[in-house]
Amino acid sequence: MGGTTAGRTGEAGDGGARRAAGPAAGPPGDPQDARDPQDPQEVRDPRDSQDAQEVRDPREAPDPREVRDPQEVRRRLEAVGYLVDEGLATACFLALRLHRPVFCEGDAGVGKTSLAGALAGMLDAPLIRLQCYEGIDASQALYDWDFPRQLLHLRAAEAAGVTDVERLEAELYDRRFLVERPLLRALRTQPSVLLVDEVDRADDEFEAFLLELLSEYSVTVPELGTLRADVPPVVVLTSNRTREVHDALKRRCLYHWFDHPSFARELAIVRSRLPAVSARLAEQVTALVQALRSEELVKPPGVAETIDWAEALDALGATELDAELAVATLGSVLKYREDTERARSLDLSAILALRAAGA
């Protein structure tokens, strides 16, 4: 098991008419969590909540990316509510030290996407998210030109009597008309955490483009030249294994497999995320979810569903769980008719009794 929290942050890429150029040429260099894709232009920044009058001198404050060892990473992630094991803490430490992406693979709902949000909180950095999907291309992920503003500029210049064609063309491709998509925005925002979510849903061509960009952390805009990150973003790529991601991309990354957690760890996650839920209810919900995962289900529930179930029961005023209430609320944890029918055929009372007896 890697790590899990219920935080849900994100940003999805959006479309553009003009196709972007690929990353700068050069020698090659040497990760269902997504719940609510947001406005593609949105960047979540934990610093936004601070007092606007507060001024911090970066020369006096320690660099949040400077971590001594994996144990410090583990402590700092747990401080923002994300519980990790030694393997994931080590992968995150190496990602920070070596500027290499973390490639996270595993079933949906086990905390892959949430890792990026936790790293952003730990580093006090914006989280920039690119939601992958079939057909996504460079212009939708990297940059585009703001055609309406360019057209208005042309009309204004025309009305002012400007006739210098070369000057007009240079003005049209000024940075003020450049629309930064998530990948370029991550390169130009420092520090930042870039989440490339569900990369397995993208096409092979986009995967190859991404590999090149992550090798150099730079991109060439023909009209502006090469734009390079002074400090590479912390990059997390996730995959639900709807298809195999090419080895070339995986070799560029630090790999971590997210398994379902043990009972003790999952219970700790639920208690951490939902402190208001009674200890008895959290324990019973976790026990039932663990039992459901041992069955032949179409979609075994992830930790996110465990948290959803406990939260739903708490909203109903429950402080403990019985079989009747469990059946009535199965829709919070199981999302397929076949899985619901299978759960109803189980002796849920016996499972709860075993947990009560400490089995």
Side-chain angles (χ1 to χ4, degrees):
M1 190 277 170
T4 304
T5 186
R8 295 162 187 163
T9 54
E11 175 171 345
D14 62 341
R18 184 182 179 94
R19 201 170 186 82
D30 283 309
Q32 181 169 36
D33 298 358
R35 291 296 188 86
D36 33 49
Q38 305 285 334
D39 184 336
Q41 299 304 320
E42 178 182 356
V43 178
R44 300 280 186 90
D45 191 339
R47 295 168 292 189
D48 289 344
S49 61
Q50 294 182 354
D51 189 336
Q53 301 303 316
E54 179 184 359
V55 177
R56 295 181 297 176
D57 188 342
R59 295 169 298 181
E60 299 176 358
D63 185 348
R65 291 178 58 132
E66 291 297 325
V67 287
R68 294 185 298 272
D69 50 43
Q71 288 69 39
E72 182 181 350
V73 172
R74 184 174 185 169
R75 289 192 299 270
R76 290 175 64 178
L77 285 175
E78 290 179 353
V80 295
Y82 191 89
L83 307 183
V84 298
D85 59 18
E86 184 177 358
L88 184 55
T90 301
C92 292
F93 170 75
L94 292 174
L96 293 169
R97 181 61 61 89
L98 303 178
H99 301 302
R100 295 185 64 183
V102 181
F103 189 93
C104 303
E105 222 172 24
D107 293 336
V110 292
K112 304 186 298 297
T113 297
S114 298
L115 173 62
L119 285 170
M122 169 186 135
L123 299 173
D124 190 26
L127 172 63
I128 301 174
R129 174 175 173 175
L130 173 66
Q131 177 65 49
C132 296
Y133 53 88
E134 185 177 354
I136 189 172
D137 61 23
S139 67
Q140 295 163 320
L142 192 57
Y143 76 89
D144 204 349
W145 291 101
D146 191 337
F147 296 130
R149 288 188 62 204
Q150 287 174 318
L151 183 58
L152 286 174
H153 180 74
L154 276 177
R155 289 177 175 172
E158 196 175 79
V162 177
T163 57
D164 188 337
V165 176
E166 289 187 2
R167 173 190 162 188
L168 274 177
E169 184 175 345
E171 290 177 349
L172 283 179
Y173 292 101
D174 186 81
R175 281 195 183 184
R176 58 182 162 155
F177 297 119
L178 186 69
V179 179
E180 296 180 353
R181 305 301 187 198
L183 293 182
L184 180 57
R185 189 153 60 251
L187 294 181
R188 291 171 51 77
T189 303
Q190 294 155 9
S192 67
V193 176
L194 171 63
L195 168 63
V196 183
D197 210 11
E198 297 184 320
V199 69
D200 53 317
R201 294 183 179 273
D203 301 326
D204 292 348
E205 293 79 5
F206 182 77
E207 192 177 312
F209 157 77
L210 191 63
L211 171 65
E212 190 176 355
L213 182 138
L214 293 178
S215 296
E216 295 295 321
Y217 291 108
S218 66
V219 62
T220 296
V221 179
E223 299 84 356
L224 298 177
T226 299
L227 305 178
R228 186 182 306 274
D230 295 330
V231 178
V234 180
V235 182
V236 177
L237 298 99
T238 75
S239 168
N240 294 333
R241 300 195 76 181
T242 58
R243 70 168 177 87
E244 284 297 326
V245 175
H246 289 191
D247 289 342
L249 183 58
K250 286 187 175 181
R251 282 198 303 269
R252 179 66 185 83
C253 305
L254 300 161
Y255 180 84
H256 188 82
W257 172 259
F258 279 65
D259 205 351
H260 291 290
S262 65
F263 172 81
R265 180 172 288 274
E266 187 164 15
L267 178 59
I269 292 167
V270 174
R271 294 300 307 279
S272 172
R273 181 65 181 88
L274 301 173
V277 172
S278 74
R280 170 79 169 162
L281 180 62
E283 183 175 320
Q284 290 177 313
V285 168
T286 304
L288 273 184
V289 171
Q290 294 265 327
L292 289 172
R293 288 196 193 117
S294 65
E295 301 295 324
E296 294 294 328
L297 300 180
V298 175
K299 167 58 176 71
V303 180
E305 283 74 34
T306 309
I307 295 170
D308 285 346
W309 201 8
E311 190 173 26
L313 290 165
D314 182 62
L316 291 172
T319 56
E320 62 179 299
L321 187 59
D322 56 36
E324 183 179 353
L325 184 56
V327 169
T329 55
L330 281 175
S332 296
V333 68
L334 300 176
K335 309 302 179 180
Y336 287 85
R337 178 179 60 84
E338 297 88 344
D339 292 347
T340 302
E341 290 177 353
R342 176 62 180 158
R344 286 173 177 163
S345 70
L346 300 175
D347 190 344
L348 300 180
S349 296
I351 297 173
L352 292 170
L354 284 172
R355 172 49 52 188

